[in-house]
Amino acid sequence: MRGSIEGHRDAVERFVAQAGLVPAERWAEPRAEGKWSAAEITEHLSLLYDGVLQELAGGPGARVRVKGFKLLVLRLVVMPKFLGQGFVPKGVRAPKEVVPVAPNADRGASLGRFEARALEFERIIGARLSDRKARISHPFFGRLTMSQGLRFVEV
């Protein structure tokens, strides 16, 4: 169920289940050299929700970092793979707004915040899915429809 509330809920549940398998003593340890810890990944996702929820509430959206021909290429070549197949290119750096700075070392609290933000997102976007004019900003793909935005967050 790609790009649906149910698909999003499944993705959230899978993430929480996987994150719950990380031993508490390793929660804040990077998975490998130069990689984020489970705490940082969870905080990154919570920050992503914060930004999208802010935009859905009428605030500013993510700053689109590419323009012109590059944006067109990303939308025509990369975006269909990302949204259709869940393909996330390796080495893409997260925009600074969603880079974890002070992740919560408490796994339960961190996952609780993540799940609360995910549920709030589902509630709000579910009510706006049929709004053809509503958009969510993506730093590399530009303005996304609600269903594209839902799929992006699901991936």
Side-chain angles (χ1 to χ4, degrees), residues 4-5 8 52-53 56 118-131 136 145-151 153:
S4 66
I5 297 294
H8 175 265
V52 171
L53 288 167
L56 289 172
L119 287 172
E120 179 70 3
F121 169 75
E122 287 176 7
R123 184 185 68 75
I124 292 172
I125 202 164
R128 305 214 29 213
L129 273 174
S130 62
D131 182 349
I136 294 174
T145 66
M146 289 292 105
S147 61
Q148 289 171 327
L150 176 59
R151 175 64 178 153
V153 174

Side-chain angles (χ1 to χ4, degrees), residues 3-96:
S4 66
I5 297 294
E6 295 82 11
H8 175 265
R9 171 69 5 220
D10 289 346
V12 167
E13 289 173 1
R14 283 192 314 274
F15 177 79
V16 170
Q18 284 293 106
L21 297 175
V22 176
E25 65 274 6
R26 298 203 57 222
W27 181 250
E29 291 179 15
R31 297 179 335 234
E33 182 70 30
K35 299 292 184 183
W36 285 351
S37 68
E40 290 170 317
I41 293 168
T42 305
E43 180 64 12
H44 165 71
L45 296 173
S46 293
L47 290 170
L48 173 86
Y49 281 122
D50 289 344
V52 171
L53 288 167
Q54 175 181 304
E55 183 174 12
L56 289 172
R63 182 176 66 82
V64 179
R65 285 158 169 71
V66 294
K67 294 181 178 161
F69 184 71
K70 189 172 183 179
L71 177 61
L72 181 64
V73 169
L74 287 171
R75 287 185 67 88
L76 293 175
V77 177
V78 180
M79 193 169 93
K81 291 179 184 178
F82 185 96
L83 297 179
Q85 302 163 14
F87 168 75
V88 180
K90 291 196 183 294
V92 174
R93 293 187 159 273
K96 67 181 179 180

